[in-house]
């Protein structure tokens, strides 16, 4: 039977209903956003479509973050806002999805076409009759935009928008005037599969296991593979770095197979963390550019061939660190989602799915001359610590590394959490959700909500299959999926930005672990700007553990962790390991404490600055004195209670 017949659809259905069914075919079942006058008829269709769910967020920005987190788990997220005030409120979140290659379908309920044509002065406009201004603003952070006006081809426009968001892994802007929601289309169009080019994708109507290439295209791919293999076979110290493109384009299994096959020292970027099994023998840690552990940085920098799988960015800088791939011979093989760069020579229109498939088929381990050693990737506190010690960042992450379970989804906020999570090794199938490039404060709580909805759906879908194929290409056992926990680490500053979404979690009876790192404000910023007035990084203290009372929660648990003994007691509690309720744990940390990698980098910079200043070739100027003089940032001894 066809899809339309199975779902007993009328011969003609509205374009809004068509859109909902297209999303359902991709197992995209939760829609994020807020209601508004111009999107209400569309929202009605969500409620009328079996299997679809309207999340109903606390504000638009948080809904964009939630949509982003959901998409990172399921391959696509859908966000609905109203014209003007609603769509502008999500821009920061949508821009983050654009920067970090996350597929988002952003649907905007727009005023009726008659009002737009007459340039009426309606609410939510700028009062100048310009109804295209918000569309123009959004176009710079979307890979495709479309306004539905054509009744004849509207179903094709919807299909194109969904295909672009999925295939490009970027936001797409789809405007639907309120009077166009009920345009009628043939339901039989739903029987034709969408043009989704990801090899591992499976849905109700698609089953793409392989890609068939014509002779000319196959020859072009073979030439690229020959060039890549020649570089690999002639290198002595090759390394592999896995970036986020592997996750976005659902080839984590292929990347892990390549790591196992080559046995090269392998790393992930912060955006790629959780993409591969970190317990394979040749996994050597997280490469974070200048913030990498010294032995990690040395191994990557001294490589004569760096192979980057799923490369999103080859180089970028912040005030905190510089990220780039430096090799002795400048041999870099950068495999982007849709192109390849070998040394400095770019090759366009080569899909990473096909590149990885052919590399696995043709790589011959016997032709590689390897001269490398592996390193210990785990940070362990340098002393035996008693339970009465007050907590420090280094000890917190070390203890949590023993509590994480296979399959956990770990969401981290920009700041100390994002740095701290990189120093520990994940158990098998654990996933990381973070926003290291865009770095919007407050992102993690909304993203955690989206992940929770996605995990809830995946658990429901697992009841229909013995094994479940996840959007990242991984096949997971049902029992492993049912035990999957969602864990959030967020600082107190970021928590105060977007904490409203805890209310949505309570409303839907979702059960995350929320670990609030309370260091009295923005510690990383405080530390990086230690010469300025530090009070600007302080925030008003809250009674965080009372927040569930405000939201009317009934099934919850709260704890306050002050000492190492408190933390050890909590993670050894067997009942605490079961995610049967929403939990908020406040972890008290020193206001000037930061993860060791960041601290060690600043110490090295201070030492280098001192050496430069003592050099006979150094000429002192007011500017150089200001740069080189740094306060003592050597960590002091911990205090007992």
């Amino acid at each position: 039977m066809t899809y339309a017949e199975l779902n007993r659809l009328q011969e003609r259905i509205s374009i809004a209903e068509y859109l909902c069914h297209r999303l359902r075919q991709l197992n995209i079942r939760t829609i994020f956003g807020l209601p508004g006058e111009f999107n209400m008829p569309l929202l009605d269709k969500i409620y009328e479509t079996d299997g679809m769910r309207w999340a109903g967020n606390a504000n638009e920005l948080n809904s964009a973050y939630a949509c982003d987190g959901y998409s990172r788990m399921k391959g696509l997220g859908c966000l609905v806002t109203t014209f003007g005030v609603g769509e502008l409120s999500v821009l920061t979140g949508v821009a983050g999805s654009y920067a970090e290659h996350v597929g988002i379908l952003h649907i905007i309920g727009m005023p009726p076409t008659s009002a737009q044509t007459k340039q009426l002065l309606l609410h939510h406009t700028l009062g100048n009759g310009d109804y295209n201004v918000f569309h123009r603003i959004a176009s710079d952070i979307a890979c495709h935009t479309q306004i539905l006006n054509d009744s004849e081809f509207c179903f094709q426009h919807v299909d194109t928008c969904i295909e672009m968001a999925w295939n490009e892994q970027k936001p797409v802007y789809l405007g639907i005037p309120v009077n166009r929601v009920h345009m009628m289309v043939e339901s039989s169009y739903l029987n034709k599969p969408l043009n989704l080019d990801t090899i591992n994708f499976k849905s109700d109507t698609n089953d793409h296991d392989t890609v068939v290439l014509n002779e000319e295209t196959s020859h072009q791919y073979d030439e690229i593979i020959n060039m890549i293999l020649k570089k690999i076979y002639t290198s002595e110290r090759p390394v592999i770095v896995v970036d986020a493109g592997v996750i976005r384009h659902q080839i984590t299994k292929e990347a892990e197979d390549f790591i196992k096959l080559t046995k090269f020292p392998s790393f992930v970027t912060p955006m790629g963390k959780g993409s591969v099994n970190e317990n394979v023998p040749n996994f050597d840690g997280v490469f974070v550019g200048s913030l990498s552990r010294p032995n990690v940085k040395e191994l990557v920098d001294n490589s004569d061939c760096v192979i980057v799988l799923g490369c999103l960015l080859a180089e970028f800088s912040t005030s905190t660190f510089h990220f780039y791939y430096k090799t002795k011979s400048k041999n870099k093989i950068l495999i982007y989602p849709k192109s390849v760069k070998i040394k400095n020579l770019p090759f366009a229109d080569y899909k990473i799915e096909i590149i990885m498939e052919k590399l696995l088929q043709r790589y011959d381990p016997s032709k590689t001359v390897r001269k490398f050693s592996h390193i210990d990737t785990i940070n362990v506190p340098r002393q035996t610590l008693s339970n009465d010690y007050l907590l420090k960042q280094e000890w917190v992450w070390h203890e949590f590394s023993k509590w994480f379970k296979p399959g956990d989804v770990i969401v981290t906020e920009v700041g100390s959490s994002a740095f701290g999570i990189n120093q520990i090794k994940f158990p098998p199938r654990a996933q990381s959700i973070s926003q290291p490039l865009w770095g919007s404060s407050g992102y993690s709580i909304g993203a955690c909500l989206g992940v929770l909805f996605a995990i809830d759906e995946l658990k429901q879908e697992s009841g229909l299959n013995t094994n479940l194929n996840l959007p990242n290409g991984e096949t997971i056992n049902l029992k492993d999926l049912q035990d999957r926990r969602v864990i959030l680490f967020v600082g107190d500053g970021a928590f105060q930005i977007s904490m409203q979404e805890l209310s949505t979690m309570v409303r839907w009876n979702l059960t995350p672990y929320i670990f609030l790192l309370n260091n009295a404000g923005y510690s990383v910023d405080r530390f990086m700007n230690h010469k300025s007035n530090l009070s600007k990084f302080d925030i008003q203290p809250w009674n965080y553990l009372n927040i569930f009372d405000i939201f009317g929660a009934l099934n919850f648990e709260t704890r306050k962790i002050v000492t190492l003994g408190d933390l050890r007691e909590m993670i050894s509690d067997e009942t605490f390991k079961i995610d049967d309720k929403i939990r908020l744990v406040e972890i008290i940390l020193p206001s000037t404490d930061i993860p060791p990698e960041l601290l060690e980098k600043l110490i090295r910079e201070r030492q280098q600055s001192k050496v430069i200043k003592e050099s006979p070739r150094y000429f002192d100027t007011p500017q150089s004195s200001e740069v080189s003089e740094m306060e003592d940032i050597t960590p002091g001894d911990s205090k007992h209670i």
Side-chain angles (χ1 to χ4, degrees):
M1 296 179 69
T2 66
Y3 180 86
E5 291 171 340
L6 283 171
N7 290 274
R8 299 179 180 180
L9 299 180
Q10 298 292 325
E11 184 176 340
R12 291 176 63 81
I13 59 177
S14 70
I15 190 61
E17 190 176 358
Y18 179 90
L19 171 58
C20 290
H21 279 282
R22 275 306 196 195
L23 291 172
R24 201 183 81 166
Q25 286 178 333
L26 301 184
N27 294 321
I28 307 304
R29 298 178 179 271
T30 301
I31 312 300
F32 300 93
L34 270 75
E37 179 179 351
F38 300 126
N39 66 22
M40 288 183 187
L42 176 61
L43 300 189
D44 289 339
K45 294 301 179 182
I46 296 174
Y47 280 96
E48 293 171 9
T49 305
D50 290 342
M52 299 298 287
R53 171 168 58 180
W54 172 247
N57 295 94
N59 67 50
E60 279 94 352
L61 178 57
N62 287 344
S63 72
Y65 293 151
C67 189
D68 182 291
Y70 180 94
S71 177
R72 292 178 192 238
M73 298 299 298
K74 302 203 71 177
L76 180 68
C78 183
L79 171 68
V80 177
T81 62
T82 196
F83 178 78
V85 292
E87 59 180 304
L88 290 184
S89 293
V90 304
L91 285 184
T92 292
V94 173
S97 299
Y98 185 90
E100 301 215 350
H101 295 245
V102 179
I104 297 293
L105 179 63
H106 180 197
I107 303 171
I108 299 88
M110 305 184 75
T113 51
S114 58
Q116 296 185 47
T117 302
K118 297 175 182 178
Q119 297 184 320
L120 299 181
L121 300 185
L122 297 184
H123 60 296
H124 301 339
T125 70
L126 298 179
N128 59 2
D130 185 354
Y131 282 84
N132 295 317
V133 58
F134 308 126
H135 181 196
R136 293 197 301 271
I137 292 172
S139 64
D140 285 334
I141 51 173
C143 69
H144 179 74
T145 67
Q146 181 68 54
I147 307 296
L148 287 190
N149 280 317
D150 192 327
S151 59
E152 183 177 358
F153 299 105
C154 60
F155 75 96
Q156 293 178 343
H157 294 321
V158 167
D159 287 355
T160 298
C161 286
I162 295 174
E163 291 165 355
M164 290 290 291
W166 181 284
N167 293 336
E168 298 299 322
Q169 284 299 291
K170 293 273 191 176
V172 166
Y173 180 101
L174 175 59
I176 306 180
V178 67
N179 63 312
R180 298 299 192 192
V181 169
H182 300 291
M183 288 189 297
M184 304 302 288
V185 300
E186 301 291 330
S187 63
S188 59
Y189 295 142
L190 290 168
N191 301 329
K192 180 182 178 181
L194 291 166
N195 182 22
L196 306 178
D197 63 10
T198 304
I199 291 176
N200 292 303
F201 173 71
K202 291 181 175 63
S203 78
D204 293 346
T205 58
N206 293 297
D207 191 356
H208 298 301
D209 285 319
T210 188
V211 172
V212 178
L213 304 175
N214 61 43
E215 184 175 351
E216 180 181 0
T217 304
S218 180
H219 178 68
Q220 292 172 345
Y221 273 95
D222 288 339
E223 287 185 336
I224 285 290
I225 296 299
N226 289 338
M227 295 174 67
I228 293 173
L229 291 177
K230 182 178 179 180
K231 291 290 184 185
I232 294 175
Y233 291 153
T234 56
S235 63
E236 295 183 346
R237 298 178 304 281
V239 301
I240 297 171
V241 180
V242 181
D243 204 353
V246 162
I247 302 172
R248 305 292 188 268
H249 292 269
Q250 307 175 6
I251 53 166
T252 56
K253 183 180 184 301
E254 288 82 355
E256 187 172 318
D257 288 345
F258 189 65
I259 288 171
K260 293 176 180 177
L261 178 64
T262 63
K263 297 181 171 60
F264 296 163
S266 300
F267 306 86
V268 294
T269 66
M271 292 174 69
K273 188 166 177 62
S275 58
V276 295
N277 185 356
E278 299 184 5
N279 293 274
V280 297
N282 50 318
F283 178 79
D284 288 320
V286 182
F287 179 70
V288 202
S290 60
L291 278 181
S292 303
R293 294 180 61 199
N295 50 359
V296 169
K297 188 174 186 299
E298 180 181 2
L299 201 54
V300 176
D301 287 352
N302 289 331
S303 167
D304 59 356
C305 182
V306 174
I307 308 157
V308 185
L309 307 180
C311 183
L312 292 189
L313 289 172
E315 180 174 0
F316 66 93
S317 298
T318 73
S319 60
T320 308
F321 72 104
H322 188 193
F323 183 96
Y324 66 104
Y325 299 109
K326 171 186 174 183
T327 68
K328 282 196 168 183
S329 63
K330 302 187 184 303
N331 274 349
K332 289 183 287 190
I333 302 170
L334 306 180
I335 304 176
Y336 292 90
K338 297 184 182 296
S339 65
V340 176
K341 189 173 184 180
I342 301 175
K343 262 194 167 179
N344 293 317
L345 191 60
F347 300 89
D349 300 323
Y350 287 91
K351 294 180 180 179
I352 189 172
E353 298 91 343
I354 302 174
I355 291 289
M356 291 306 302
E357 183 180 39
K358 288 185 171 290
L359 270 180
L360 288 168
Q361 291 171 354
R362 294 188 50 193
Y363 174 74
D364 183 354
S366 67
K367 294 183 179 181
T368 303
V369 180
R370 302 190 297 270
K371 295 181 180 178
F372 53 74
S373 59
H374 297 290
I375 58 178
D376 181 14
T377 62
I378 297 298
N379 271 356
V380 179
R382 292 180 285 271
Q383 61 187 110
T384 302
L385 305 169
S386 63
N387 285 338
D388 61 350
Y389 271 81
L390 296 176
L391 287 173
K392 290 182 61 177
Q393 288 272 353
E394 180 180 6
W395 306 336
V396 167
W397 298 113
H398 173 67
E399 294 296 331
F400 270 116
S401 68
K402 298 181 286 187
W403 180 73
F404 292 146
K405 297 196 312 183
D408 282 345
V409 183
I410 302 162
V411 186
T412 53
E413 178 62 53
V414 62
S416 57
S417 301
F419 288 112
I421 202 68
N422 289 328
Q423 75 187 48
I424 63 175
K425 182 182 289 187
F426 278 2
R429 302 188 313 280
Q431 288 182 255
S432 174
I433 304 292
S434 63
Q435 202 186 49
L437 172 58
W438 184 243
S440 180
S441 294
Y443 162 82
S444 65
I445 294 180
C448 179
L449 174 67
V451 170
L452 286 162
F453 276 119
I455 291 294
D456 181 62
E457 291 176 15
L458 290 170
K459 289 180 178 180
Q460 294 179 34
E461 293 163 21
S462 69
L464 306 176
N465 304 281
T466 304
N467 290 301
L468 185 68
N469 295 298
L470 297 181
N472 63 4
E474 177 188 7
T475 299
I476 191 168
N477 181 275
L478 292 188
K479 184 179 184 302
D480 293 335
L481 184 59
Q482 294 298 331
D483 292 340
R484 231 168 178 196
R485 305 178 302 181
V486 179
I487 300 163
L488 167 64
F489 291 96
V490 58
D492 51 340
F495 184 89
Q496 293 194 11
I497 296 173
S498 53
M499 42 72 67
Q500 303 97 321
E501 233 46 56
L502 268 67
S503 175
T504 313
M505 297 176 190
V506 169
R507 175 187 176 191
W508 287 99
N509 298 313
L510 302 172
T511 58
Y513 293 85
I514 303 168
F515 295 103
L516 191 155
L517 307 183
N518 187 345
N519 43 26
Y522 299 95
S523 282
V524 172
D525 293 325
R526 183 185 289 124
F527 201 91
M528 296 304 300
N529 298 275
H530 57 277
K531 285 191 171 185
S532 62
N533 187 337
L534 298 184
S535 63
K536 64 174 173 285
F537 303 115
D538 297 340
I539 59 176
Q540 171 65 21
W542 286 10
N543 296 321
Y544 295 102
L545 301 187
N546 295 333
I547 201 162
F548 286 135
D549 293 330
I550 297 173
F551 294 143
L554 299 176
N555 185 29
F556 65 92
E557 178 183 352
T558 59
R559 298 191 185 208
K560 177 173 284 191
I561 306 298
V562 178
T563 67
L564 195 54
D566 295 338
L567 181 58
R568 287 169 173 168
E569 179 184 358
M570 178 188 70
I571 64 177
S572 63
D573 184 344
E574 291 298 322
T575 61
F576 187 77
K577 298 176 182 178
I578 304 171
D579 62 337
D580 56 352
K581 58 176 68 70
I582 188 170
R583 290 179 168 92
L584 176 62
V585 179
E586 182 180 7
I587 299 176
I588 306 300
L589 292 165
S591 62
T592 56
D593 184 37
I594 58 175
E597 273 75 10
L598 184 55
L599 178 63
E600 290 168 5
K601 173 184 179 289
L602 295 176
I603 292 174
R604 289 195 301 271
E605 287 181 350
R606 186 193 64 173
Q607 293 170 342
Q608 291 168 0
S609 176
K610 183 178 179 181
V611 169
I612 292 172
K613 189 172 181 179
E614 291 175 352
S615 168
R617 300 181 64 182
Y618 175 84
F619 296 95
D620 195 11
T621 67
Q623 291 80 11
S624 62
S625 297
E626 181 180 353
V627 171
S628 62
E629 291 174 2
M630 296 182 65
E631 297 176 5
D632 185 10
I633 55 175
T634 305
D637 294 333
S638 297
K639 297 179 180 179
H640 290 73
I641 293 179

